[in-house]
Amino acid sequence: MDSAAPVDRDSNDGTRNDRTQSDPGPCALGATDLTPGDRDPADSDASEAAATAEVVAAATRSERSPKDMAISLLVLLIPIALLVGFYRVFLGGDQPAEIDPAPTVAQARSINAFPVSEPVGLADGWQSVTANLQRPEGAVTLRLGYLSPNGGAVQVVQSNLPAERLLPTELTPKGQPQGATEVDGRNWQRYTARASERALVLMEPGRTVIVVGSARESELRDLAGALG
């Protein structure tokens, strides 16, 4: 006897309804099977709004004129300029710090390589800004830096180096004597120096003194005359 697969017949129309394993049934549908019409309208609206905002921002950036950019830069620079002005005017930011050269002068005197001079009795307005002592190869060189009342920079150099070695270093090899001048009873030589600078040179046994800088010659003479 042949066996036959069970057949279900619909009670209404009598047609055969074969059930197979290929029918997933309504419960097998996942979220990915949603059609475009089934998506959340809120998500679609948010995406369109973001895209529109990006387009508007790009258009705004492209439409900025050089004038707008210049105004923006000016707005940034004004506060910076105000801060710099306040620092310079009220805090003295562009003024060099004044120092006391006494410790460096005392150290130079303790070496006893030559008589060390220090300006005494300078008029108001002179500022001591640097003091440096060097001892290359056994020689001793003392440098004291000043600002004159008119803002000129001046340096007093004292050394036991021979003048033929010291002058080319301090005044450049092109420095030339320009004649003698008397300052406070001592004979100094006027010398050319670097561009915009002039110098007074005092040569003594065992010591050479140079007063050099961009200050006026009258100020150089005042500083040279104050050296005790």
Side-chain angles (χ1 to χ4, degrees), residues 121-142:
L122 284 172
D124 293 340
W126 285 89
Q127 289 181 277
S128 174
V129 293
T130 62
N132 179 263
L133 180 65
Q134 294 180 327
R135 303 176 64 180
E137 301 176 0
V140 178
T141 301
L142 173 65

Side-chain angles (χ1 to χ4, degrees), residues 195-210:
S196 75
E197 292 186 347
R198 55 184 63 86
L200 296 175
V201 178
L202 177 66
M203 299 181 190
E204 297 180 333
R207 180 182 78 155
T208 299
V209 182
I210 303 173

Side-chain angles (χ1 to χ4, degrees), residues 115-192:
V116 175
S117 297
E118 181 182 8
V120 177
L122 284 172
D124 293 340
W126 285 89
Q127 289 181 277
S128 174
V129 293
T130 62
N132 179 263
L133 180 65
Q134 294 180 327
R135 303 176 64 180
E137 301 176 0
V140 178
T141 301
L142 173 65
R143 293 182 175 86
L144 304 176
Y146 296 87
L147 283 182
S148 74
N150 290 304
V154 189
Q155 191 173 65
V156 178
V157 182
Q158 303 172 69
S159 180
N160 61 352
L161 275 171
E164 60 270 18
R165 291 177 56 190
L166 181 66
L167 295 182
T169 301
E170 303 299 328
L171 307 181
T172 76
K174 296 182 179 180
Q176 297 294 323
Q178 300 296 301
T181 183
E182 184 177 335
V183 179
D184 215 28
R186 293 188 289 190
N187 290 323
W188 293 71
Q189 288 286 336
R190 297 170 58 250
Y191 266 77
T192 59

Side-chain angles (χ1 to χ4, degrees), residues 50-60:
T52 301
E54 180 63 26
V55 171
V56 171
T60 302

